[in-house]
Amino acid sequence: LSWKGLIFLIVYVCIGAFTVIACCTFLNHGKDYKDDPETFRQELNMFMTGIVNIIIVHMVLVLNSAIVTMPKKGDEPYRSLAIVMRVLSVIVFANTVLGLRVQIEEAEYYDSMKQFP
């Protein structure tokens, strides 16, 4: 396993962990959205997207455990797929961090609303 491979492995693990945290935040504050159906639908959509991301990240981790080296230039479709998978992982990581931040900010907002009835 090369340094680049190890870095992307860490990125995949962080994506999975951050997405699980974001989904758990929704489960913890799901009842707070019952008064606003539009917000509930948006949050439910984020939750379902998170579940799909968790499944995809775990599938990528299983794939990376089976194939630990980047395919050579002769194995062209697989090499391109591996490169695109790494590029997309950086984009998904940024999206996951932003989504987690939104979930945490909303959780803090609803927690502060509970303090002042």
Side-chain angles (χ1 to χ4, degrees):
L1 191 63
S2 67
W3 282 103
K4 289 180 187 177
L6 184 62
I7 289 171
F8 282 104
L9 186 66
I10 292 170
V11 167
Y12 297 136
V13 169
C14 287
I15 290 170
F18 293 164
T19 306
V20 167
I21 293 170
C23 289
C24 289
T25 303
F26 170 78
L27 291 176
N28 188 34
H29 289 279
K31 62 188 172 298
D32 296 333
Y33 307 125
K34 67 181 176 186
D35 295 333
D36 186 8
E38 182 66 29
T39 304
F40 179 76
R41 282 194 300 268
Q42 290 173 354
E43 295 297 321
L44 185 62
N45 183 27
M46 288 179 64
F47 174 75
M48 297 301 285
T49 303
I51 294 295
V52 170
N53 283 344
I54 290 169
I55 293 169
I56 290 171
V57 165
H58 281 83
M59 289 174 21
V60 169
L61 284 171
V62 168
L63 180 65
N64 280 337
S65 69
I67 303 170
V68 294
T69 60
M70 176 73 76
K72 303 210 184 306
K73 290 192 179 192
D75 303 331
E76 189 43 50
Y78 303 112
R79 181 175 174 82
S80 297
L81 284 172
I83 292 170
V84 168
M85 188 172 62
R86 287 183 174 184
V87 170
L88 286 177
S89 72
V90 173
I91 295 168
V92 170
F93 178 72
N95 185 35
T96 303
V97 169
L98 291 173
L100 179 61
R101 180 162 174 105
V102 167
Q103 288 284 47
I104 290 173
E105 287 174 356
E106 286 183 2
E108 289 173 353
Y109 171 75
Y110 282 109
D111 285 341
S112 68
M113 294 295 288
K114 288 180 183 177
Q115 293 175 358
F116 303 107

